[in-house]
Amino acid sequence: MFRNYRFKNYNFRLVVFVVALTIYGIIIIGSANKDYQNKQIIGMILGIIVMVAFSMIDYSALLSLHWIFYLAGCGALLMVFIPGLSHSSKGATRWVRLGGFQFQPSELAKVLVVLFLAWYLMKYQEDLNKPKRFLMTVVICMIPLGLIVLEPDLSTTVVTFCIIFTMLFYAGLSKKVVGAVVGLIAAGVFGVILLTLHSGGVLQGYQNDRIAAWLEPDKFPSEAMQQQNSIMAIGSGELFGKGLANNGANSVKNGNYIPEPHTDFIFAVTGEETGFLGTLLMIVLLFAIVFECLRTAKKAKDLAGQLICIGMASLVGFQAFVNICVVTGLMPNTGLTLPFVSYGLTSLVTLYFGIGFVLNVSIQSKKFYADERNFTFDLS
């Protein structure tokens, strides 16, 4: 197996960026809520082990388990609907408890969907725009999306859809279809906003309230308070911040005004305590991870490898974008973590799991396989 690897191409820059961002997140978590810091450290250690292990296994061999990945992802999502296993919070059932262990299936499902689609789209790339194959692809993609919607988890549904749509576009989905989908999404968003303002909305009750509070915060002060406090916290940090773990009475975080300071709204804590420069560093690290995934895709030996990298870049990029937009008031409030930064062992370990595949793609370069094929041809 290792004879086909070129370890000099191992993307150590990606490793450094991922680990650096995780350590940065651990520091902020410790400042936001000390009780969760040690658990996140354990998650990082476990994640690194998983990442290194899967970076050594040929992704082409693992993709032979494509349907197992798909069924495992859907099966995990179904577990949240089983009484006795599921755990609800704030009107949503997104977690599964097995003994003393709790995890969020949608986090794992996102990575498993990326792996399945990498194989599927490579196999059926030529037929992707044919009506029968296109319809089959839509059905396959709608099953995990529908299960996430039913939790309900609108923000994860949006991110997962963006991942799938990006991979389909890269694989060669017709521009006419892409344009039609974008048009329908724009019309749908406009329709949801219009109905929320004038007829109570069409989504779950708390989701309608959050959209209404985002559109008209003065009319819904209790619902808008979370985002308003978050914006105030980021602004109060100014250029250099108030300092990590500060005890200042003027701290929004210390006054318990920031909701979920160690998870969904950790970017607000970063802004208050490390200032504009601290948040800029975090954004730069996130961008660097996305860029390295895309750079690795360019050198992949086949379409499946390219799609794995594109899928992971989309996961990190879109999820970070949505989280930061929520915290800064640019989008309605949703429960979504910031990749590699927010507390959450399921999210952290599964992200490292996906990055492990990207690293394996990096050591099986396109140039090496082209040279090998040319050598074989010359011998014949």
Side-chain angles (χ1 to χ4, degrees), residues 165-206:
F165 191 66
T166 302
M167 293 179 72
L168 288 170
F169 176 75
Y170 187 85
L173 185 64
S174 168
K175 292 181 180 179
K176 292 181 180 179
V177 175
V178 172
V181 171
V182 171
L184 287 172
I185 292 172
V189 171
F190 180 76
V192 168
I193 291 174
L194 198 63
L195 289 170
T196 301
L197 288 174
H198 298 288
S199 61
V202 293
L203 303 175
Q204 296 283 337
Y206 76 95

Side-chain angles (χ1 to χ4, degrees), residues 41 46 52 97 142 153 259 266 284 300 303 336 348 361:
I41 293 172
L46 179 59
V52 172
R97 279 183 176 173
M142 286 302 295
D153 190 349
I266 197 166
V284 167
L303 181 61
L336 197 67
L348 187 61
V361 173

Side-chain angles (χ1 to χ4, degrees), residues 78-88 93 95-98:
L78 281 170
M79 290 175 70
V80 302
F81 304 105
I82 300 176
L85 292 180
S86 60
H87 172 64
S88 300
T93 307
W95 296 268
V96 170
R97 279 183 176 173
L98 297 174

Side-chain angles (χ1 to χ4, degrees), residues 13-215:
R13 282 190 298 272
L14 178 58
V15 176
V16 169
F17 293 144
V18 166
V19 173
L21 183 59
T22 307
I23 292 173
Y24 192 6
I26 289 170
I27 294 170
I28 302 297
I29 289 170
S31 181
N33 193 325
K34 193 74 174 178
D35 296 337
Y36 294 97
Q37 191 174 43
N38 289 336
K39 292 181 181 179
Q40 191 76 348
I41 293 172
I42 293 172
M44 184 185 74
I45 294 171
L46 179 59
I48 290 174
I49 293 172
V50 169
M51 178 182 70
V52 172
F54 279 94
S55 72
M56 295 293 109
I57 304 174
D58 187 352
Y59 72 86
S60 298
L62 285 175
L63 290 186
S64 65
L65 306 174
H66 43 271
W67 282 111
I68 294 177
F69 289 148
Y70 181 79
L71 294 174
C74 293
L77 291 171
L78 281 170
M79 290 175 70
V80 302
F81 304 105
I82 300 176
L85 292 180
S86 60
H87 172 64
S88 300
S89 177
K90 299 180 181 179
T93 307
R94 304 174 184 173
W95 296 268
V96 170
R97 279 183 176 173
L98 297 174
F101 177 69
Q102 177 174 306
F103 73 100
Q104 192 170 352
S106 59
E107 296 294 337
L108 175 62
K110 283 183 290 190
V111 178
L112 293 179
V113 165
V114 167
L115 297 178
F116 170 78
L117 284 178
W119 167 84
Y120 181 88
L121 294 176
M122 182 176 72
K123 181 175 177 62
Y124 297 109
Q125 183 186 22
E126 298 298 325
D127 301 327
L128 184 59
N129 291 301
K130 294 180 180 179
K132 185 177 179 180
R133 178 54 55 188
F134 176 72
L135 182 60
M136 180 65 70
T137 304
V138 170
V139 171
I140 288 172
C141 294
M142 286 302 295
I143 292 174
L145 285 172
L147 291 172
I148 298 172
V149 169
L150 291 174
E151 293 183 1
D153 190 349
L154 185 60
S155 55
T156 300
T157 304
V158 170
V159 170
T160 306
F161 173 81
C162 290
I163 295 168
I164 292 172
F165 191 66
T166 302
M167 293 179 72
L168 288 170
F169 176 75
Y170 187 85
L173 185 64
S174 168
K175 292 181 180 179
K176 292 181 180 179
V177 175
V178 172
V181 171
V182 171
L184 287 172
I185 292 172
V189 171
F190 180 76
V192 168
I193 291 174
L194 198 63
L195 289 170
T196 301
L197 288 174
H198 298 288
S199 61
V202 293
L203 303 175
Q204 296 283 337
Y206 76 95
Q207 293 173 338
N208 289 325
D209 293 342
R210 289 179 174 180
I211 294 174
W214 173 64
L215 294 169

